Amino acid sequence: MNTTARLAGFGGALVLLAAGGFALGNAVGPSPATGEHRETGGEHAGMTGPVDELPGGLASSQDGYTFAAAPTPEAGRFSFTITGPDGEPVTAFDVEHEKKLHLIVVRRDTAVYRHVHPEPAPDGTWSVPLTLPAAGSYRAFADFTPTGGKPMTLGLDLSVAGDYRPASYAPGRTAQVDGYTVRLDGDLTAGKASPLTLTVSRGGVPVTDLQPYLAAYGHLVALREGDLAYLHVHPDGGPGDGRTAAGPQVRFAAEVPSAGTYRLFLDFKHGGVVRTAEFTVTTERRA
């Protein structure tokens, strides 16, 4: 699998939310998937492709495959199918980083973030325990590779009724989570592979015994403000390669297509617990 992840380019057909990014207003409800999404491979879908293609997660269908679910999750559980070109649920998927499918669910203002791994039934129905704790409009991303096909990320909107109160985030490169401090070094530059280093410490002491999580010492997801264009990056090197230390630094290389603001989420495991550190980064202009 490639370790440099890349988002495809954003063409003029890209449709932003009418509400203009994270501020969705008080009305809660699903909004249609936008744009046409075609990709040509990569470590995970949404990470590579010609410059005239749209990135992952902006459409619910691609190349005959469709991500389908009820717009409002059942209490405590989310179920869905991936149907294939024949219209039937797909039951054969390649294993990528120990899982057949990675599911990311995020509220559109990114105040709620979940990275979970559903289990498939023999009939092709996927299901996972999932509680969305706050009202709002959400985007679900199914990141997978159908056996015999190419990697892809499909997205669809979900909604949770109630009093929606949008959140906003100032740029920040240091995250605090459960007593851990994670620092992000490196700048994202549009159109150029950008090295990023995340350094994990606890109580001022570097963490040098990070544990493998899904065959890596970290998983990084980036979401572009506004349309939530999706990027999933795995680190350079990993457990068992004989050259990668188990912390305190986890190194990535990521390429984004446009200047703008991105929300970054790092999943890392230590002490048997997976934690998520969050960052807000404004990119430089295209190189």
Side-chain angles (χ1 to χ4, degrees), residues 56-138:
L58 294 183
S60 59
S61 295
Q62 175 195 337
D63 298 337
Y65 294 91
T66 298
F67 179 21
T72 303
E74 298 178 5
R77 180 160 293 273
F78 180 54
S79 299
F80 62 92
T81 59
I82 305 294
T83 59
D86 61 0
E88 297 296 323
V90 178
T91 58
F93 295 83
D94 292 346
V95 174
E96 301 284 351
H97 278 252
E98 300 183 351
K99 298 294 181 179
K100 293 183 177 180
L101 186 146
H102 298 258
L103 182 72
I104 308 295
V105 181
V106 60
R107 200 169 78 167
R108 280 197 172 271
D109 63 355
T110 72
V112 179
Y113 174 89
R114 299 286 186 270
H115 181 175
V116 296
H117 300 97
E119 293 296 330
D123 67 356
T125 300
W126 296 81
S127 183
V128 65
L130 179 67
T131 298
L132 300 178
S137 179
Y138 289 76

Side-chain angles (χ1 to χ4, degrees), residues 140-155:
F141 300 94
D143 187 342
F144 62 92
T145 302
T147 298
K150 63 186 181 182
M152 63 182 69
T153 300
L154 302 179

Side-chain angles (χ1 to χ4, degrees), residues 133-205:
S137 179
Y138 289 76
R139 189 71 173 169
F141 300 94
D143 187 342
F144 62 92
T145 302
T147 298
K150 63 186 181 182
M152 63 182 69
T153 300
L154 302 179
L156 58 78
D157 286 321
L158 306 173
S159 64
V160 175
D163 182 15
Y164 173 64
R165 298 179 182 274
S168 61
Y169 300 92
R173 291 175 169 270
T174 300
Q176 305 288 339
V177 53
D178 295 343
Y180 292 82
T181 299
V182 185
R183 187 182 74 248
L184 170 65
D185 293 302
D187 295 318
L188 288 171
T189 301
K192 179 181 178 181
S194 305
L196 302 176
T197 300
L198 291 110
T199 304
V200 183
S201 62
R202 186 180 188 187
V205 179

Side-chain angles (χ1 to χ4, degrees), residues 263-278:
R263 286 276 285 160
L264 276 59
F265 299 85
L266 174 72
D267 290 333
F268 67 96
K269 185 176 182 180
H270 189 248
V273 178
V274 177
R275 297 172 173 86
T276 302
E278 305 179 8

Side-chain angles (χ1 to χ4, degrees), residues 229-267:
Y230 172 91
L231 169 66
H232 185 173
V233 195
H234 293 139
D236 294 331
D241 66 6
R243 63 181 179 85
T244 303
Q249 296 180 329
V250 187
R251 293 181 173 86
F252 300 84
E255 183 171 342
V256 295
S258 67
T261 299
Y262 290 80
R263 286 276 285 160
L264 276 59
F265 299 85
L266 174 72
D267 290 333

